[in-house]
Amino acid sequence: MKYGHFDDTNREYVITNPKTPYPWINYLGNEDFFSLTSNTGGGYTFYKDAKFRRLTRYRYNNVPVDNGGKYFYIKDGDTTWSPGWKPVKTELDSYECRHGMSYTKFKSSKNGIEAQILQFIPLGFWGEIQKVSLKNTSSETKKLKLFSFIEWCLWNAEDDMINFQRNFSTGEVEIEDSTIYHKTEFKERRNHYAFYSVNTPIDGYDTDRESFLGLYNDFDSPEVVDEGAPKNTIAHGWSPIASHYVEIELKPGEQRDLIFMLGYVEVEKDDKWESKAVINKKPAKAMLAKFDTVDKIDAAYNDLRAYWDRLLGKINIDSGDDRLDRMVNIWNQYQCMVTFNMSRSASFFESGIGRGMGFRDSNQDLIGFVHQIPERARERIFDIASTQFEDGSCYHQYQPLTKKGNSAVGGDFNDDPLWLILSTTEYIKETGDFSLLDEMVPFDNDASRAKPHFEHLKASFYHVVNNLGPHKLPLIGRADWNDCLNLNCFSDDPNESFQTTGNKKGNTAESLMIAGLFVVYGKEYVKLCKRIDKDKEAVEAQKHVENMIKAVKAHGWDGDWYLRAYDFFGNKIGSNENEEGKIFIESQGWCTMAEIGKEEGMVEKSLNAVKKHLDCDYGIVLNSPAFTKYHIEYGEISTYPAGYKENGGIFCHNNPWIMIGETVLGRGDQAYEYYTKIAPSFLEDISELHKVEPYVYCQMIAGKEAFKPGEAKNSWLSGTASWNFFAIFRR
Ligand code: GLC
Ligand code: GLC
């Protein structure tokens, strides 16, 4: 079943049934200011960091899902409705939500009134626009009451959710003309405030949530809307909101456009106040003046469209299959830019308060957007490399605001360093700019320890060489790409994390995935050394690559496929000898891409085994059979129920590795078949089962051993985006 359709000419997905199987969302904003919006108006807005500068409140894991957002209530006689269907959920005469490139449009109608909303963030602007157009399509004059609604978040999204003993007493607002200012904590350490405004005189307002909703009402029937009159409340503590009230009279055929703006302002420390307790509103007023007419809004919207024309204009395929073309030309590239902006921080599955930028994730994301924004990719490479140490090891994550390595998470994920060779060489191939190799880049964020960027690549390469195990294969550390294969962890305490505690610092557990990865990017490293006349280094590195190939052939082959790893005790993982987890995808992907043992038929055998044991209707599962009991020596992988996540789920990120492996054998048709199983536009007809957006990749689809094979989760922020794009264009 479908819930809408693609409009490729406009680069939009058009949702025509608001009751999608999960909220289908879009991202607004391209630089500092961002907003997530669902197809029913749910979501939230933040400046730069979804944890520390969240403007509007959002309750994750809510019941029902996706309650709360940027809402409008239209009261027309006895009928109240919302253009996005929610929160009122009055049955609409028509409904349409168009998610486009950094904008979303709603168009719906009820009882002879048509409402349109255009929602976007102008380029380079710290404010979100909602252009609301109301048109009377009936033959009678209509008197409408319009209520807007947003709920302020008290800036720190985590504290906002837990620290009620304080937060219920701190909320403060100011109102001037049609603008509601949110100034909680402004008088102490914050030099920023937010505002929500409309470009017309208002007939009332509310800023206290309880007065607006009523203590026992839900968002679908606020007391104020039910009664048809605002209370003009000023919030003191509790939960501040911003709601405008506007009375609108429309003659038959008449239309009115209102421009709402949700903005963010930073002021100088000594320029915070206009007068005693009155905030400096000058910057906000300047922002409002910038976009106070429909013409100005339309011009900004056209600029945004032109911006995306430029970004997407660099690659265009015409394959004869719309489903493929729209993925490659539009949605996959769009998703790659979203992963550039968000990393893994804010989606409807990532709460925006947890994870920073991942070393491995960010390097891999880069291969999906380097052609669109090469200058920013260059900068990103240096940000990442700066969190590395001289021995090649690195912090697993860093914080986007400070760009400092996150010591709470630490390091020792031994695949991490190699991904820097991937991002750097892909950047060079795309741009021809070798000069980044000479740029001085700090180690451990310490400028006094800076060295040319090339030295970082060398450190990455030798980190593997210097950390080999008993079979001369790479030691895995805490985990390799598979975060949940924790072979040095042995955790029996449910209160600790598999990733960050219990590390046994073993010197036996080895990874065939890293071995393959090393051969692929080791060869790239050798090639690079030759290109920049480091011939001696090339010869030296080549030896290490060849030794690794030998080690894989001698100790990494199980007869029909590549092993996955050796555990802490030196036992095989991913072998026919194992009862569960006999075969894993990651080592098949990387060792076939590395072409290890191709002449001896290993590549072909391995990929045939993938087809036989791991492929299913919905994609290639990660391992098979899935684990059915907890193996303390394997870690988190065996905690997931069979068929989900890293335990036998279709982890879409790694499926392209097999596709690329197939191309090594020249089996393009097989590669393409795998592609069509996970590419979202090919799954549109089974949206009911697939559940998440048919226009973006998700991290995981439940595998063949799951309770509900084919059901997907974790859409948007996944390395799946860049790798699928890369698989199509692989050089
Ligand atoms: C998540 C992580 C990524 C990891 C993958 C597999 O997507 O962000 O770093 O490689 O899971 O565990
Ligand atoms: C969990 C997830 C995994 C992710 C890891 C790191 O283990 O299952 O996918 O990579 O957390 O945050």
Side-chain angles (χ1 to χ4, degrees):
M1 183 180 166
K2 299 210 287 184
Y3 294 81
H5 57 267
F6 286 93
D7 174 349
D8 296 335
T9 315
N10 284 308
R11 302 194 181 115
E12 292 169 342
Y13 192 80
V14 189
I15 301 164
T16 49
N17 177 351
K19 289 182 222 171
T20 49
Y22 208 71
W24 287 1
I25 72 163
N26 194 16
Y27 286 83
L28 316 181
N30 290 287
E31 289 122 17
D32 297 333
F33 197 74
F34 298 101
S35 165
L36 283 71
T37 184
S38 73
N39 61 306
T40 57
Y44 60 98
T45 302
F46 61 93
Y47 169 76
K48 277 192 183 170
D49 187 314
K51 177 176 176 182
F52 290 116
R53 290 289 184 283
R54 195 175 300 194
L55 271 69
T56 59
R57 183 171 285 157
Y58 194 72
R59 294 171 190 76
Y60 277 93
N61 210 354
N62 209 349
V63 181
V65 70
D66 192 27
N67 240 16
K70 275 158 245 157
Y71 289 147
F72 290 101
Y73 301 86
I74 298 171
K75 198 170 169 76
D76 175 9
D78 291 338
T79 309
T80 303
W81 58 286
S82 299
W85 183 59
K86 279 185 85 166
V88 184
K89 290 185 283 175
T90 297
E91 184 136 352
L92 300 172
D93 297 339
S94 67
Y95 158 92
E96 196 183 83
C97 167
R98 288 177 175 260
H99 285 320
M101 305 290 105
S102 304
Y103 66 85
T104 287
K105 286 175 172 174
F106 292 94
K107 183 176 177 180
S108 51
S109 62
K110 182 76 189 171
N111 297 347
I113 293 293
E114 186 187 272
Q116 296 199 49
I117 300 175
L118 165 65
Q119 197 173 340
F120 73 107
I121 292 167
L123 293 169
F125 194 63
W126 294 356
E128 179 174 359
I129 302 290
Q130 292 163 301
K131 184 177 91 173
V132 178
S133 309
L134 298 173
K135 186 172 180 181
N136 183 356
T137 59
S138 80
S139 50
E140 293 148 34
T141 295
K142 290 268 194 181
K143 284 187 173 169
L144 306 176
K145 295 176 172 184
L146 177 72
F147 299 86
S148 67
F149 175 86
I150 59 155
E151 187 177 3
W152 298 115
C153 181
L154 306 181
W155 301 114
N156 179 334
E158 187 175 28
D159 193 75
D160 183 78
M161 283 194 308
I162 53 181
N163 194 7
F164 307 114
Q165 61 79 26
R166 169 180 165 85
N167 294 340
F168 285 167
S169 296
T170 55
E172 285 188 290
V173 297
E174 244 180 72
I175 299 147
E176 191 184 294
D177 302 327
S178 299
T179 308
I180 296 166
Y181 295 87
H182 176 226
K183 59 171 187 177
T184 300
E185 294 185 346
F186 186 76
K187 71 165 169 293
E188 26 135 337
R189 294 161 299 169
R190 295 191 184 277
N191 301 328
H192 46 263
Y193 62 79
F195 63 90
Y196 191 39
S197 185
V198 58
N199 70 335
T200 190
I202 54 175
D203 301 293
Y205 57 83
D206 274 289
T207 66
D208 176 59
R209 192 187 74 208
E210 193 178 313
S211 312
F212 179 78
L213 285 178
L215 188 55
Y216 295 101
N217 297 34
D218 214 327
F219 291 118
D220 61 354
S221 61
E223 210 168 271
V224 155
V225 178
D226 285 350
E227 288 165 10
K231 295 183 184 163
N232 299 333
T233 51
I234 307 227
H236 295 281
W238 295 112
S239 298
I241 61 158
S243 171
H244 307 95
Y245 170 67
V246 187
E247 290 174 0
I248 297 172
E249 190 174 306
L250 293 175
K251 297 200 181 63
E254 191 182 348
Q255 173 172 325
R256 245 189 96 183
D257 302 305
L258 302 173
I259 298 162
F260 289 83
M261 185 191 292
L262 170 63
Y264 172 83
V265 165
E266 281 183 0
V267 287
E268 294 298 325
K269 242 184 166 157
D270 49 14
D271 194 22
K272 287 175 68 168
W273 305 99
E274 211 164 277
S275 57
K276 190 164 181 257
V278 177
I279 62 174
N280 173 2
K281 304 191 180 66
K282 240 188 271 150
K285 286 179 181 165
M287 286 174 72
L288 289 166
K290 215 166 165 189
F291 294 112
D292 56 355
T293 66
V294 169
D295 284 350
K296 292 179 189 173
I297 297 300
D298 292 349
Y301 172 64
N302 288 335
D303 287 349
L304 181 67
R305 293 200 69 133
Y307 170 79
W308 276 102
D309 285 345
R310 277 198 302 281
L311 287 181
L312 299 179
K314 299 194 177 172
I315 277 175
N316 198 59
I317 62 161
D318 184 2
S319 68
D321 187 332
D322 290 345
R323 295 170 303 179
L324 175 61
D325 292 354
R326 65 173 60 113
M327 279 324 306
V328 175
N329 296 340
I330 307 171
W331 291 99
N332 196 172
Q333 293 195 68
Y334 181 57
Q335 185 177 1
C336 287
M337 283 297 286
V338 171
T339 60
F340 165 70
N341 287 326
M342 299 287 136
S343 189
R344 302 294 173 271
S345 73
S347 73
F348 267 34
F349 296 92
E350 301 279 3
S351 67
I353 58 179
R355 300 166 68 177
M357 313 279 293
F359 194 97
R360 78 157 82 91
D361 291 347
S362 298
N363 277 307
Q364 292 174 82
D365 287 348
L366 198 131
I367 63 175
F369 61 75
V370 61
H371 67 288
Q372 292 176 307
I373 45 165
E375 311 77 32
R376 294 172 82 187
R378 192 181 203 263
E379 216 178 285
R380 176 65 58 86
I381 290 173
F382 296 143
D383 285 351
I384 301 169
S386 306
T387 63
Q388 189 175 33
F389 295 93
E390 282 86 345
D391 70 354
S393 67
C394 54
Y395 286 106
H396 193 48
Q397 289 180 5
Y398 69 96
Q399 296 311 120
L401 268 188
T402 60
K403 298 188 175 171
K404 291 246 155 70
N406 180 342
S407 46
V409 177
D412 278 343
F413 294 79
N414 284 348
D415 64 313
D416 272 342
L418 288 174
W419 301 108
L420 190 63
I421 303 180
L422 162 74
S423 61
T424 302
T425 52
E426 284 310 313
Y427 168 83
I428 295 174
K429 286 181 200 171
E430 184 59 44
T431 59
D433 168 22
F434 284 84
S435 75
L436 97 161
L437 296 171
D438 305 324
E439 221 45 71
M440 296 297 278
V441 182
F443 283 99
D444 194 15
N445 290 111
D446 178 349
S448 70
R449 283 152 69 187
K451 285 208 178 127
H453 183 62
F454 175 79
E455 294 302 320
H456 286 261
L457 303 191
K458 189 170 177 187
S460 291
F461 181 88
Y462 284 97
H463 186 259
V464 174
V465 176
N466 295 333
N467 288 280
L468 298 176
H471 302 94
K472 298 281 176 246
L473 293 165
L475 291 170
I476 196 167
R478 283 194 191 165
D480 59 24
W481 171 86
N482 189 332
D483 263 336
C484 299
L485 194 61
N486 316 115
L487 304 181
N488 294 304
C489 176
F490 292 72
S491 176
D492 57 8
D493 175 358
N495 300 325
E496 67 186 14
S497 141
F498 289 96
Q499 271 87 39
T500 55
T501 44
N503 194 332
K504 289 188 97 152
K505 293 252 178 248
N507 276 323
T508 38
E510 298 168 295
S511 161
L512 268 301
M513 184 263 162
I514 302 181
L517 188 71
F518 176 77
V519 173
V520 172
Y521 295 111
K523 286 182 190 167
E524 289 289 291
Y525 176 71
V526 169
K527 231 196 273 174
L528 180 68
C529 290
K530 286 185 185 156
R531 282 293 297 262
I532 56 173
D533 298 329
K534 291 191 188 288
D535 292 330
K536 226 172 110 208
E537 174 56 14
V539 171
E540 181 65 25
Q542 180 65 28
K543 276 190 230 149
H544 294 296
V545 172
E546 273 155 24
N547 287 342
M548 188 64 77
I549 295 173
K550 271 188 223 140
V552 173
K553 287 186 185 173
H555 304 290
W557 184 247
D558 196 51
D560 283 310
W561 56 78
Y562 303 96
L563 293 174
R564 176 62 176 88
Y566 284 96
D567 72 12
F568 184 81
F569 307 106
N571 296 323
K572 293 174 184 169
I573 301 181
S575 159
N576 205 15
E577 292 164 19
N578 296 118
E579 215 177 294
E580 301 185 322
K582 286 173 182 288
I583 171 170
F584 283 69
I585 193 170
E586 304 99 323
S587 45
Q588 315 313 319
W590 283 103
C591 293
T592 60
M593 282 194 267
E595 307 189 20
I596 300 173
K598 191 178 170 208
E599 318 75 48
E600 295 94 321
M602 287 159 76
V603 170
E604 188 175 354
K605 274 191 186 166
S606 152
L607 291 170
N608 290 347
V610 167
K611 180 80 189 150
K612 184 163 169 208
H613 300 287
L614 300 178
D615 182 35
C616 75
D617 288 349
Y618 304 105
I620 310 166
V621 300
L622 192 145
N623 57 304
S624 180
F627 298 105
T628 56
K629 54 178 195 282
Y630 177 48
H631 296 257
I632 193 165
E633 73 281 21
Y634 295 171
E636 186 172 355
I637 189 166
S638 60
T639 66
Y640 286 113
Y644 292 93
K645 294 278 282 177
E646 281 92 336
N647 185 22
I650 298 153
F651 215 92
C652 300
H653 186 145
N654 54 38
N655 278 221
W657 300 343
I658 299 297
M659 296 171 206
I660 299 172
E662 287 287 353
T663 64
V664 166
L665 292 179
R667 302 198 303 204
D669 289 346
Q670 182 56 67
Y672 188 62
E673 187 202 317
Y674 287 140
Y675 177 80
T676 61
K677 286 185 177 179
I678 61 164
S681 61
F682 289 76
L683 307 174
E684 198 189 3
D685 287 334
I686 57 162
S687 286
E688 224 170 332
L689 167 67
H690 186 68
K691 226 174 149 105
V692 296
E693 298 92 335
Y695 42 90
V696 289
Y697 288 94
C698 57
Q699 182 206 52
M700 197 263 325
I701 304 174
K704 56 185 177 175
E705 294 179 66
F707 169 68
K708 207 176 185 188
E711 185 183 72
K713 290 185 187 123
N714 303 358
S715 54
W716 284 98
L717 303 184
S718 164
T720 309
S722 58
W723 273 104
N724 276 282
F725 186 72
F726 191 69
I728 294 284
F729 287 104
R730 198 221 170 204
R731 283 148 268 230

